Structure formats: C-alpha cells, structure tokens
C-alpha cells in the first residue's frame, strides 16, 4: 500500500493488529490441534483433561481403520469425490466455455436459465420426488448427479473464460481445431489456477456430502464417510456399532477424534496449495457481475 | 457442448418445480402423483394453525437475525484489519489459517463441539476440576443458539473476508495518494477513502443476507438437534424434512418448503428494490 508515516500511534496499532490477527488465526486452528492431540491420547490422559498427550499412541487410528462402518464410508466418499469431481469439472467447463462464446445461439436465454436457478429453489421434497422417479434412490449416483453442476461455479468459470483473448481461439481454429479441441488444447492449459480452485470447491463439496446421503440413501452399506462419522459421534455405546476388540478399544473420545482427523485431513492437505489463487482475478471477475 | 449442462439444469432444477404441485395434493406415495386427490389449499390452512410451524418460523428468523448482528460485521472487520498489514507473508499465513475452517464439514464442526463440551471434553473436565459449572452445550437448550452462531463465526468469518478483501484491492491507489497530499493521516485515510469505497459492496452483501433471512443452514442445525432442544432448534428446513421424509407427509412438507421459497423470493426482491431506491445499484 502507500507509505505510512511511522507515527507512534501507527506503530502501536500495527503491533496490536498483528497480535489480534495471531489470536484469530490460532482460534481458527486450535480446534484442529485439539482434535489431533485427543486422537493420540490414551484414556487416562483424557480423563485428566490434559491437552498434550505424553505418549503418542495410534490405537485410535488402528481402531478406526478396523471399523467397517468407517472404512466402508471412507471408500464410498473417496469414490464419490473422485468420480463426482471429474464429472462436475468436465460438465461445468464445457458449459462455461460454451456460454462464453458469442456464437452460441440462445446464449442470453441459457444464461438466464442458469442464473435463475440461483434465486429460485423448488425445495427438498420436489427434488426428492424427481430423484425417486429417476430410480436413483439408494444409488451412489444420487450423491453425485443432483448436485453435479453448481450454477455459481458456471458463472464464475464463464467470467474467467471471457478474459481469454479471442485471438488465441481464432488461431487454433485456423489450425483446424474443432470446438472441443480448442477447449481442451488451448483454453484448459491456460486455466490452471482457475480450474484448481474449482476442483477444490467441488472436491470438498463431494467429500463433505451429508445431506444428500440422508435424503436419498437408506442402505447402510452405501453411507458415505460423513454419515458414518455422525453415527459414531451420536451413539453412546460403541458396542452397538459392531466395533471389535473391545478390550483394547481406545476411549470413544480418541476414536472419534481420530475419525474426525481422517475426515479433515484430505481437505487440509490439498487446500493450502490452492489458496493463493482465491483472490487473484478469479473471484474479482465474479463480483463485478 | 452446452447440452449436458442444460439437461442437468432442466432435470434437477426445473423439473422439481412440477413437484411443487404436491403441496396442493393429498399425496400418497403409493398411489403416485396422478392418483392423489387435489385438496387445494388445505395444507396451507393446516400450516396456519400448526404451532410447530410457527415455532419453526420464529426459530429460523431468530437464528438469522442473531447471525446478522453477531456474524455479519466480523468478516468486514477482519478484512479491514488484514488490509492494514504490510508484511506479505504474514498476511498470507493469516489468510491460510483463517480460510481453512470453511472447508470443514458441519459434521467435523459438530464433532469438535461435541468433543470439547461433552462430559469428557477438555473444557468440562477442566471446569469440574476447578469446581465450576460445566457447560452442557447439548443438554442445555438455551445454549443452542449461541453455539450455532459461534460455529458459523468460526467457520465463515475468514471466508466472508475474501469478498471484502477483493473489494479493498480494487480501490484506486490514486485516491490514497490524493488524500496524503491533502495531509490526511492514516486514520483519516481509512475513514474517508477506504470505508466509502467498500460501502457499496457491504451494502450488497447486507441485501443478500436480508434476502436469505428465511433460509437457514440445514445441515448445521439438523446435526445439532436433539430431543432436548427441538423447541429452539427446529427451523423451517428441518421441519419440512422431518414431516416429509421421516413422517412421509410429503404434501404438507412441500407446502412448508413452498411457503419458505415464496417468502424468501419476496424478501430478496424487496431488499433489492429498497437498494435501488436508495441510490445504489443492487444486484441486477
């Protein structure tokens, strides 16, 4: 920013600001740290209310992987995330690109169609009826298809594509590329950061699926990880959940903490790399609607 | 290329609109759509006299209002403070820390709340050791609303700040230079350049939030509900879900959902009209 004169009140403010922001950042991260610590703790340490475990035991994680409820859910969620994100990115990119080209017939109408869905919502029951009539109830695809394209994402991506110069596209056309080829060979490579952000958004969304699952799925074998997690947290007696090796079972607290950490880990591992792309241009383009 | 996308929107966003007609029928799932008799506005009449509906409506509004008062200003404050930081890497580090909670599922947030405040949670264990009252976040209904608001604050203060930060980044530096030439100190620059520049953005965000007054975070509330706090925790979304999918009273549930959609749309449109009247652009 601009040069500030290094006045005394200015410096006091800066120091206070930095301290405050450190506090805020810590508050954002402390719950994770607490989860981590708890997941490594033993029963006695939890009873005592100690924050940092003196011995790092991974019993909780072993138990978590041995639990069919959790490991099954993990696989389901992994599938949903990978398949869903691929489908979503493919469809959203195609649609956003098509909508960004002036030659598209009915462009205005289609855009309006998309934007309108952001304002008008039929509600959850009608959606359930549609899914049911498509025979998708209790199918894994009911977790993917009903939400595979986000209208907001289409608009954002389209705004981004609008910033790509026409000359590049024309040059590709001159070289004989079809529409799809232009998209795949020219536009996509240029869109790395933008696509990374959307992969993150869609990916996290699929990984965190809970609502779709409780709406559309009744078969316990198809429950995604979040639903399994919820059951783990809500049930008092873990025996009911068919968890074996009861004698060596870590305290429910540790097991729950471990499961929660496993749920948060994939997201936290990927997110920092993509974070720096958030404000650069991508979202700015979306705000100036 | 746009066809698959169009099909998606037609199937999953516009086709359900037909489903809204269920609100006017006595819908029996086994008899199907066509064979269920029309009962006109009977569901809506029932709505008007249903105490649980009014409770749900009140809860929805109260939670939204609490969020408006306590949550809404925070991303703005955070963005403004963050903007004053000149050290690039510190700023980036804070941003990374503060955006992270947004990506956590509500289950995780519920889990953390649960682990912290359950009887073996570290907060209550420490409180008991010092002979203080334990905080029963789940058993005490009066703590439900504060917990919900605090969860929202933890999760989305940072994320909300992104929009404000983006707006702050578009402020013309020449305005600041002109202000300095006129002898403005840092505080004055803040008051006379920064604040007015983002005023429009804040106003739009406020409108959007007012328009969403009748909507609440279904997942967050549903997960935090238990038989003890239903009185304060049942919101329109969860009520519709409960009556529809758990009690199979699909017609009535659709009516609740329809009421919510229509009322919410009216709110957004009026909020936007109000903004136009007062001179700012509004959303469209």
């Amino acid at each position: 920013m601009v040069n500030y004169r290094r006045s005394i009140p200015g410096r006091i403010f800066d120091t206070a600001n930095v301290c405050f922001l450190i506090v805020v950042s810590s508050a954002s991260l402390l719950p994770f740290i607490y989860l981590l610590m708890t997941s490594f703790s033993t029963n006695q340490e939890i009873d005592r209310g100690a924050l940092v475990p003196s011995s790092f035991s991974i019993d909780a994680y072993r138990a978590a992987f041995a639990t069919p409820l959790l490991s099954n859910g993990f696989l389901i969620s992994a599938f949903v995330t990978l398949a869903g994100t691929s489908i979503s990115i493919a469809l959203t990119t195609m649609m956003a690109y098509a909508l960004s080209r002036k030659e598209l017939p009915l462009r205005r109408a289609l855009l309006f169609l998309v934007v309108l869905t952001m304002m008008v919502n039929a509600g959850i029951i009608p959606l359930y009826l549609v899914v049911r009539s498509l025979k998708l109830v209790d199918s894994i695809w009911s977790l993917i298809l009903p939400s595979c394209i986000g209208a907001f994402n289409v608009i954002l991506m389209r705004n981004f594509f609008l910033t790509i110069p026409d000359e590049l596209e024309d040059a590709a056309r001159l070289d004989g590329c079809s529409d799809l080829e232009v998209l795949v060979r020219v536009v996509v490579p240029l869109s790395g950061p933008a696509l990374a952000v959307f992969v993150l958004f869609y990916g996290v969304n699929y990984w965190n699926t809970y609502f779709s699952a409780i709406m559309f799925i009744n078969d316990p074998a198809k429950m995604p990880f979040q639903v399994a997690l919820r059951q783990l947290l809500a049930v008092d007696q873990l025996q009911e959940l068919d968890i074996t090796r009861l004698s060596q079972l870590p305290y429910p607290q540790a097991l729950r903490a471990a499961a929660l950490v496993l749920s948060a880990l994939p997201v936290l591992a990927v997110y920092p790399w993509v974070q720096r792309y958030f404000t650069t241009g991508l979202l700015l383009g979306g705000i100036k609607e | 290329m746009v066809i698959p996308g169009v099909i998606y929107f037609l199937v999953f966003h516009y086709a359900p609109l037909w489903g809204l007609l269920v609100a006017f029928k006595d819908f029996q799932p086994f008899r199907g759509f066509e064979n269920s008799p029309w009962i006109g506005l009977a569901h809506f009449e029932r709505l008007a006299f249903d105490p649980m509906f009014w409770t749900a409506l009140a809860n929805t509004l109260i939670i939204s209002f609490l969020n408006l008062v306590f949550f809404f200003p925070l991303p703005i404050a955070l963005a403004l403070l963050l903007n004053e930081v000149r050290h690039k890497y510190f700023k980036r580090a804070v941003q990374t820390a503060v955006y992270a909670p947004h990506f956590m599922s509500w289950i995780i947030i519920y889990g953390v709340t649960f682990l912290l405040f359950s009887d073996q949670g570290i907060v209550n264990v420490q409180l008991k050791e010092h002979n203080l009252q334990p905080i029963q976040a789940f058993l005490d209904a009066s703590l439900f609303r504060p917990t919900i608001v605090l969860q929202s604050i933890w999760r989305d203060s940072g994320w909300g700040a992104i929009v404000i930060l983006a707006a702050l980044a578009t402020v013309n530096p020449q305005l600041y230079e002109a202000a300095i030439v006129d002898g403005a100190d840092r505080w004055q620059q803040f008051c006379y350049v920064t604040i007015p520049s983002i005023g429009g953005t804040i106003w739009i965000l406020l409108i959007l939030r007012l328009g969403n007054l009748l909507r609440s975070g279904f997942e967050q509330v549903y997960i935090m509900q238990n038989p003890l706090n239903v009185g304060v925790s049942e919101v329109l979304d969860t009520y519709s879900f409960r009556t529809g999918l758990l009690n199979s009273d699909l017609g009535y549930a659709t009516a609740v959902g329809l009421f919510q959609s229509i009322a919410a749309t009216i709110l957004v449109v009026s909020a936007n009209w109000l903004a136009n009247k007062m001179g700012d652009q509004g959303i469209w």
Side-chain angles (χ1 to χ4, degrees):
Chain A
M1 291 201 54
V2 206
N3 281 331
Y4 291 110
R5 264 171 262 139
R6 303 277 284 161
S7 59
I8 305 280
R11 271 191 280 183
I12 296 183
F13 171 76
D14 277 333
T15 324
N17 195 16
V18 166
C19 290
F20 175 74
L21 288 175
I22 292 184
V23 169
V24 169
S25 306
S26 312
S28 298
L29 295 176
L30 264 174
F32 298 123
I33 302 182
Y34 172 67
L35 273 185
L36 267 178
M37 295 295 140
T38 310
S39 65
F40 288 123
S41 302
T42 62
N43 305 349
Q44 299 91 334
E45 285 158 348
I46 294 180
D47 264 336
R48 268 186 306 148
L51 183 58
V52 181
S54 45
S55 63
F56 279 78
S57 85
I58 56 170
D59 282 342
Y61 288 96
R62 280 207 211 106
F65 281 116
T67 315
L69 177 75
L70 291 177
S71 50
N72 204 34
F74 197 87
L75 289 172
I76 304 255
S77 285
F79 172 76
V80 168
T81 307
L82 290 172
T85 310
S86 320
I87 296 179
S88 289
I89 292 287
L91 289 181
T92 309
T93 313
M94 287 202 297
M95 194 167 188
Y97 179 68
L99 284 174
S100 70
R101 295 299 127 199
K102 296 179 282 297
E103 313 85 43
L104 183 73
L106 300 173
R107 191 174 74 137
R108 288 260 167 89
L110 288 173
L111 256 179
F112 182 69
L113 182 94
V114 172
V115 172
L116 194 60
T117 64
M118 289 201 283
M119 319 277 177
V120 166
N121 189 358
I124 54 181
I125 305 292
L127 183 63
Y128 175 76
L129 291 173
V130 168
V131 169
R132 197 177 71 152
S133 61
L134 289 172
K135 305 269 186 297
L136 284 179
V137 175
D138 248 353
S139 151
I140 275 197
W141 295 104
S142 69
L143 299 177
I144 298 181
L145 292 177
S147 53
C148 63
I149 306 186
F152 196 55
N153 295 336
V154 173
I155 303 294
L156 284 180
M157 211 188 263
R158 172 182 173 263
N159 283 346
F160 178 77
F161 286 154
L162 284 173
T163 64
I164 296 185
D166 284 340
E167 292 80 30
L168 290 169
E169 186 193 347
D170 294 338
R173 286 275 162 74
L174 278 175
D175 287 341
C177 282
S178 71
D179 278 331
L180 196 59
E181 280 179 333
V182 173
L183 175 62
V184 171
R185 295 195 186 195
V186 176
V187 177
V188 166
L190 285 173
S191 319
L195 283 182
V197 172
F198 287 113
V199 167
L200 181 71
F201 284 177
Y202 276 126
V204 171
N205 210 34
Y206 281 116
W207 179 249
N208 287 342
T209 308
Y210 176 77
F211 181 55
S212 299
I214 52 175
M215 264 232 286
F216 301 130
I217 298 205
N218 300 315
D219 182 1
K222 299 207 181 101
M223 292 293 189
F225 195 57
Q226 297 294 332
V227 179
L229 210 51
R230 160 72 165 156
Q231 275 192 298
L232 185 70
L233 289 165
V235 170
D236 265 332
Q237 303 300 336
L238 285 181
Q239 287 88 321
E240 289 175 30
L241 289 177
D242 184 33
I243 296 182
T244 53
R245 296 186 296 144
L246 289 174
S247 54
Q248 296 162 2
L249 188 67
Y251 232 15
Q253 296 283 84
L255 178 59
R256 285 167 176 155
L260 287 171
V261 169
L262 286 175
S263 171
L265 217 50
V267 178
L268 288 177
V270 174
Y271 143 80
W273 309 114
V274 185
Q275 183 253 328
R276 58 194 151 113
Y277 299 128
F278 284 172
T279 35
T280 53
L282 176 69
L283 288 177
L284 271 180
I287 290 170
K288 290 181 194 155
E289 291 176 31
Chain B
M1 256 210 299
V2 80
I3 303 225
V6 173
I7 297 179
Y8 164 76
F9 279 105
L10 286 177
V11 170
F12 289 107
H13 286 268
Y14 287 102
L17 290 175
W18 287 119
L20 284 176
L21 293 176
V22 168
F24 302 103
K25 283 188 172 223
D26 181 17
F27 187 69
Q28 303 291 346
F30 296 108
R31 276 195 269 164
F33 190 71
E34 292 77 24
N35 297 330
S36 304
W38 291 94
I39 54 171
L41 296 173
H43 281 310
F44 291 96
E45 281 173 31
R46 184 175 148 201
L47 211 75
F49 294 109
D50 182 2
M52 203 58 215
F53 168 76
W54 291 105
T55 312
L57 181 63
N59 285 334
T60 311
L61 289 172
I62 292 177
I63 291 181
S64 292
F65 184 69
L66 286 174
N67 270 331
L68 185 66
V69 169
F70 291 105
F71 169 71
F72 183 73
L74 296 181
I76 303 173
L78 185 63
L80 288 171
L81 286 175
L82 210 50
N83 197 41
E84 296 290 320
V85 173
R86 275 161 294 153
H87 193 262
K88 199 170 71 155
Y89 291 110
F90 178 69
K91 193 170 170 181
R92 213 106 17 109
V94 172
Q95 282 179 304
T96 309
V98 139
Y99 297 160
H102 170 80
F103 293 101
M104 297 297 112
S105 69
W106 285 115
I107 311 268
I108 296 184
I109 298 183
Y110 166 79
V112 172
T113 314
F114 180 79
L115 287 178
L116 280 174
F117 293 104
S118 71
D119 278 330
Q120 297 116 349
I122 192 172
V123 172
N124 285 336
V125 166
Q126 293 288 354
L127 284 177
K128 275 186 231 169
E129 283 205 1
H130 295 93
N131 287 322
L132 292 170
Q133 276 283 50
I135 302 177
Q136 301 280 16
F138 293 91
L139 302 177
D140 189 351
S142 66
L143 288 177
F144 177 78
R145 289 184 189 137
T147 312
I148 292 283
V149 175
L150 282 172
Q151 285 178 342
S152 294
I153 290 179
W154 182 74
R155 184 184 203 243
D156 286 323
S157 298
W159 188 251
I162 292 186
V163 175
I164 317 279
L165 279 173
L168 284 169
T170 61
V171 173
N172 190 348
Q174 290 180 342
L175 287 174
Y176 285 104
E177 284 162 25
I180 293 182
V181 165
D182 283 343
D185 66 16
R186 204 165 151 192
W187 173 248
Q188 285 168 325
Q189 286 171 37
F190 180 76
C191 290
Y192 294 111
V193 178
T194 312
I195 298 284
S197 304
I198 60 171
T201 310
I202 297 186
W203 192 237
I204 293 184
L205 290 175
L206 191 61
I207 293 177
L208 279 175
R209 191 158 272 271
L210 283 175
N212 282 328
L213 221 50
L214 274 182
R215 298 204 179 118
S216 55
F218 173 82
E219 269 192 42
Q220 180 192 17
V221 176
Y222 181 72
I223 294 172
M224 289 289 296
Q225 265 183 352
N226 60 48
L228 290 172
N229 61 27
V230 161
V232 288
S233 67
E234 190 82 315
V235 291
L236 286 177
D237 279 316
T238 56
Y239 188 54
S240 176
F241 178 76
R242 199 177 291 280
T243 48
L245 291 171
L246 298 178
N247 290 342
S248 289
D249 198 351
L250 290 169
Y252 186 58
T254 314
V256 173
L258 183 58
F259 170 85
Q260 188 181 16
S261 292
I262 294 182
T265 310
I266 295 179
L267 272 178
V268 175
V269 171
S270 355
N272 193 63
W273 173 84
L274 189 69
N276 278 331
K277 268 251 152 180
M278 298 182 75
D280 288 303
Q281 322 104 292
I283 310 181
W284 51 71

